[in-house]
Amino acid sequence: MIPGTAAERLRAAADHLNATGLYDRPIDPRRVRVVHAPWFFRVPTMRRFDGYALPECILLRRPLDETSDELLRHELCHVWQMRRRGPLMPLSYVVKGYWDNPYEREARWASRCGSRPRRPGAKNFSCRRTPR
């Protein structure tokens, strides 16, 4: 169980993302809602995901207290991308796919930078480098 209200956890996620230096202006999480929506992830094309971002909302497969900080940071990064880049961001998945999509790579990097390694001997993600 991970403690904290949605507002507290989103603020911490925004602080983490803002520290990466990727963004020309800070992410403001105050208008972002977090919704536990397990029904959404029963849709066949959504089954492989644990979170999904919309411009003002983050949908989660599991309750907030069972959701990692890394996933919240990842989805909040997508919220920022959609707010700043508009419809080009979601449309890019049609053209570039998922794994090699630059928005997806950026969100993966930004959500992990500075975090502890997942297993002994794994490389630590540093905020000093840029996403590729």
Side-chain angles (χ1 to χ4, degrees):
M1 184 178 236
I2 301 173
T5 66
E8 291 167 341
R9 294 200 51 209
L10 283 173
R11 179 76 259 159
D15 290 345
H16 176 98
L17 294 171
N18 290 333
T20 65
L22 283 175
Y23 313 113
D24 59 344
R25 65 179 191 204
I27 295 169
D28 183 2
R30 289 178 293 182
R31 292 189 344 244
V32 179
R33 293 182 322 139
V34 176
V35 177
H36 176 220
W39 54 268
F40 180 80
F41 299 95
R42 289 185 197 116
V43 174
T45 57
M46 296 295 135
R47 287 183 185 155
R48 63 186 174 140
F49 302 110
D50 289 320
Y52 191 84
L54 301 167
E56 303 294 329
C57 183
I58 295 173
L59 303 177
L60 298 174
R61 175 188 302 276
R62 294 179 185 82
L64 180 62
D65 63 353
E66 296 176 16
T67 300
S68 71
D69 291 335
E70 186 176 316
L71 179 61
L72 279 180
R73 292 189 298 257
H74 181 97
E75 298 306 332
L76 186 60
C77 183
H78 286 320
V79 168
W80 181 88
Q81 291 167 339
M82 283 185 268
R83 286 179 175 178
R84 297 291 290 155
R85 297 167 184 149
L88 294 178
M89 185 272 186
L91 288 175
S92 70
Y93 287 84
V94 175
V95 177
K96 301 209 181 247
Y98 180 79
W99 287 106
D100 292 327
N101 188 297
Y103 295 116
E104 199 58 41
R105 287 195 318 262
E106 179 179 273
R108 282 193 296 263
W109 179 84
S111 67
R112 292 177 181 163
C113 78
S115 66
R116 289 178 287 138
R118 292 176 176 231
R119 63 188 188 294
K123 187 174 181 180
N124 187 21
F125 292 90
S126 169
C127 289
R128 288 189 287 275
R129 61 182 186 165
T130 56
R132 296 185 197 270

